[in-house]
Amino acid sequence: MFRIDRALKIFRQEISYMLRDKTTLIMMVILPIIVYPLFSFVSAYMMMKSTSEIRKSTTKIVMCRPNKSLEGAIGKYFVKSKAEIIYAALSTDEIRAGIISGKYSVYLDFPENFDSAIASGSTCSVIVKYDRSNEKSGFASVETVNAINEYKDGLVSRNISGTGLNPSLFDPFDVAGKNIATSVQMGGSLLAKVLPIMIIMFATLGSFYPAIDVTAMEKERGTLETLLLAPVTNLEIMFGKFLAVFSLTMFSIMLNLISIALTATHGILLIKSSAAFSRVGDFINFSITPFTIVAIFIFMIPAACLMSAIMLQVAIFARNFKEAQNYMTPILLIFMLPPMVSMLPGYELTTATAMIPIINLTLLLKGMLAGNYSVYLALVTFAVNLAFSAAALFMAATAFSSEAVLFRPSEDLDSLCFWRFPSLKISQEMSLITLFFVFNMALLYFAGSFLQTIFPIKTGLLLTEILLILIPSIIFVKSVYGNFLGYIGFRLPSAGNLFYSVVIGTSGFVFTVAITALMSHFVSPPEDMMKELQKSLTAGSAGEFFVLAVITAVLPGICEEIMFRGAILPVLYKKYGRIASCALCGLLFGLFHLSPFRILPTAIIGFYLSLLRIHTGSIIPSMLCHFTNNFIIIFVSSIGENPFFSRPESVNATLPVALAASLLFMAFPFIVSRMMKTENDPPTI
Amino acid sequence: MQEELSPLQFENVSKVYSPGSTQEYTALSGITHSIEKCGVYGLIGPNGAGKTTLLRIISNIIHPTSGTVKVFGRDITANQLDCKRRIGFIASTTGLYGRLTPRETLRYFGELFEIGVAETDRRIADLSATFGLEEFLDRKNELLSFGQKQRVNIARCMLHDPDIFVFDEITEGLDVLTSQTVVKFIQYLGAQGKCVLLSTHDMHLADRLCSDIIILHKGRIIEAGGLNDVKKKHGFDGKNIEDLFVSLI
């Protein structure tokens, strides 16, 4: 029976107890308060200092050759600040190196006949080379260009005065840009990006230490055991602790928002009066209405609830502070990295993004600070975060009522030290294979997309298959099972089975094309993506086709089969039997292709490839079948329009092709059903 | 009425840790025993015998995998909170909140046990006098010595005036003086007619304090009864309990 008064007793005790801790106080009270004033003062100070330092320092101008008139112009312009002129003919690389090392500021390039050209009335150009990434060089370039323009203007007016023409002929009107954005908007747009990150970051930090303090630290001190002796239920303990963490998080958020508001109204005035440069003033000038502050506070409630519940749930697993920090750091990152999307242009709160917890909040805060957001989406965001926090709270409650969590034995991740065991239990094998798959998936997602951006697409695919799929699989199987070829089932199949593999590959291809076509009525991938894919899979010449065949048919046939049918399937088979393991292996194979549009077709392919591996007792038929499927895809795209990449109604097929396809399509279920018989299955494959 | 019911009854109590995993471990298997009258009971057994598990189950910190435990006739799983009120537990692992003072600790537990503020303060005064807590009653727990902490712990478990006391290795690591306090405390509880169940490695202590012993080995009770009866039964009459223990396991 849950009694709220008992939970509240624990809540009160936890709050007062946590506020006695220095770390908690610093992280939750002092830091959120001082960060904004400090941040704005420091950034304003740095900007002013760097600007005035650049002004004071000597501008070192390199001229490609001596020239009296240009020198004079520069000398005349740089009266207040010093300019030093050096003569040297340099290459662009030398200039860049010189700017980086601080030897030069800018480089002036002009033709040898500069003076004579001007005298004779023909035009020529002066190029001011500078490095924009270098603040000093950028600043010097502006000054130098101004100096030369001043000289040019003088020259123009001198030339005109000789001819008696009206000077306005050459300078008919003035053009000047005028910034009409109010400082609120300018500050808003910049701060709208940064503030959500800061607010969420401090909220996360605000719940981090309290969550550890009331869980893992209690285990470490032995007070959890003492607390469990009292006549309160685990649920009441959990809820009391949750309320305490949640309240402190909200308290931290409140302090944070007050600090923002005060910095906006009072702190800025101070800086403004001392800021000599309007640029600095604009940068840090912002204002936030009290309404916005209150709205942000309200919308932070479900988010703080979610954070507290998740933090509490993770921290209760830890047995001590050190362990808790290890477990919590990824959680901290999960909360602190997604808000970075608010920095990216083009990310707005939509019905879709409003469904993603925390990210929706970031985007909402961004909109609120910039002054444009929809109330409807704000409510959706609130509801979504609330729903997620309810789920997280439920999970935390489950964790708190589990003895295994509260009194966790020391080494429950033992399966990771697989080399210590003479033979692995199936549960250990399952956790190892899960870890392997997740690791490889992450590798593919991060390293794979990296490889495919820095290399041309074909090289990228080649490297992905070998480095990210094949090699990890070999290392995994070798280190866990030793005998690589034996474990993956690399043995010679009968000629009949090889023929059978080609038939399945062909008929399976037709079947998945049909499924894809059917699917495209409901969901279809963006047209551009398909065109891009088709382009990359189409060969223009025989040589190109050969390369393409190796990269997209031979390699996946070997590498992906070794990973899925070689390393993963045997464990799944041992645990789940034939049909379920094939379905699961197919699903993993589908997920591995990292595209929501390809999950179903690739999962079907993965399913029959797995069946083939179990049915024939060898990995070679599934390799051949995989190759056949991929080969047909590139073959068809190279000779004509690939049905994979176009809308079903736009495919023109000749009658014989259509007939053969229909036959293969209808044959597919029969071919596959032959392999589904599960009687007399061996215990391992 | 209390006298009519057995203070503690175990019926086929088993405890398996991490069932189904590679770490599966059976700590208790089928304990059936009844403690019929109050007194000081010594629970002895080698490391890993299941002493701590059994005591934690009685205190309702963990729950048996199967079987039932009854406190004065009431099933502890069905009446968790009521049973918790009748039990006072101290182990070498039960800690104190470092940033609280002994007084605050006792007040917090007084609140959790719903004793009432005035009554709690009265009891705190009594217990402080009995266990000499006055000098450090308002110093933070984290600044106290091990012995002082143990005295605070004793006060904490006495606060709600339980009928059954469960002590898990509480003399471990204590100096002679504090150890003496604990011994006197246990003797006092025995004289008060409370039921004390204490586990210990210290055979001399068991010899001195206990009227009855329960010998636990590999999760089973291998011998139980009045101390002298058990000694007599195995031909160790008048001899050291340690010899009896070694001969039995």
Side-chain angles (χ1 to χ4, degrees), chain A residues 437-548:
Chain A
F437 178 76
V438 170
F439 171 79
N440 249 22
M441 188 102 176
L443 199 65
L444 182 76
Y445 185 75
F446 294 108
S449 38
F450 175 71
L451 282 177
Q452 280 162 34
T453 43
I454 60 163
F455 291 108
I457 182 143
K458 283 178 192 150
T459 322
L461 284 174
L462 177 95
L463 291 174
T464 305
E465 289 287 340
I466 292 177
L467 294 181
L468 308 183
I469 297 175
L470 180 64
I471 291 182
S473 306
I474 294 177
I475 293 173
F476 176 77
V477 174
K478 277 292 264 189
S479 49
V480 178
Y481 298 101
N483 177 4
F484 177 67
L485 289 180
Y487 182 77
I488 65 163
F490 194 82
R491 37 189 97 89
L492 214 59
S494 66
N497 277 340
L498 286 178
F499 173 72
Y500 187 50
S501 316
V502 177
V503 174
I504 297 174
T506 317
S507 134
F509 166 75
V510 176
F511 188 77
T512 43
V513 166
I515 292 291
T516 313
L518 199 66
M519 262 177 66
S520 70
H521 285 290
F522 305 102
V523 278
S524 60
E527 204 87 16
D528 292 351
M529 192 178 114
M530 287 288 98
K531 283 207 179 103
E532 198 56 38
L533 198 61
Q534 170 145 30
K535 218 173 87 191
S536 66
L537 289 179
T538 309
S541 66
E544 247 178 65
F545 183 75
F546 179 76
V547 173
L548 198 64

Side-chain angles (χ1 to χ4, degrees), chain A residues 3 6 9 12-13 17 20 213 218 221-223 225-226 228-232 403 407 411 414, chain B residues 15 22-23 56 61-63 81 84 89 93 95-100 104 108-109 111 113-114 156:
Chain A
R3 260 174 52 191
R6 289 197 292 242
K9 279 177 199 166
R12 276 197 304 274
Q13 147 75 8
Y17 191 67
R20 292 182 183 199
D213 201 29
E218 286 229 25
R221 291 182 303 236
T223 48
E225 198 178 341
T226 317
L228 288 171
L229 292 168
V232 280
E403 239 169 63
F407 296 94
E411 296 299 330
D414 245 9
Chain B
K15 179 68 188 177
T22 53
Q23 300 292 314
R56 280 182 168 181
I61 301 175
I62 59 175
H63 308 292
L81 302 191
K84 277 182 179 179
F89 176 87
T93 48
L96 295 172
Y97 289 91
R99 297 194 291 273
L100 294 188
E104 288 166 331
Y108 179 41
F109 277 86
E111 202 184 350
F113 278 96
E114 295 166 337
R156 190 220 77 222

Side-chain angles (χ1 to χ4, degrees), chain A residues 598-646:
Chain A
R598 290 172 68 197
I599 286 183
L600 185 62
T602 42
I604 292 171
I605 297 173
F607 176 70
Y608 65 73
L609 287 173
S610 307
L611 271 179
L612 193 61
R613 159 78 182 87
I614 296 172
H615 182 69
T616 61
S618 160
I619 199 171
I620 296 173
S622 69
M623 285 177 167
L624 181 65
C625 182
H626 194 156
F627 164 79
T628 309
N629 177 75
N630 288 18
F631 183 81
I632 298 174
I633 294 176
I634 55 162
F635 182 72
V636 176
S637 348
S638 297
I639 56 166
E641 200 162 4
N642 191 323
F644 251 136
F645 306 125
S646 33

Side-chain angles (χ1 to χ4, degrees), chain A residues 369-437:
Chain A
L369 288 165
N372 55 329
Y373 68 100
S374 109
V375 176
Y376 162 70
L377 288 177
L379 291 178
V380 171
T381 300
F382 193 89
V384 166
N385 286 336
L386 201 62
F388 272 89
S389 52
L393 205 56
F394 178 76
M395 276 154 65
T398 315
F400 264 79
S401 40
S402 163
E403 239 169 63
V405 173
L406 296 183
F407 296 94
R408 199 161 62 85
S410 53
E411 296 299 330
D412 56 357
L413 291 173
D414 245 9
S415 63
L416 297 181
C417 307
F418 53 84
W419 55 88
R420 285 204 214 139
F421 298 91
S423 65
L424 292 169
K425 285 193 179 183
I426 184 68
S427 61
Q428 290 173 302
E429 283 188 278
M430 279 301 291
S431 40
L432 283 174
I433 210 81
T434 312
L435 206 69
F436 167 69
F437 178 76

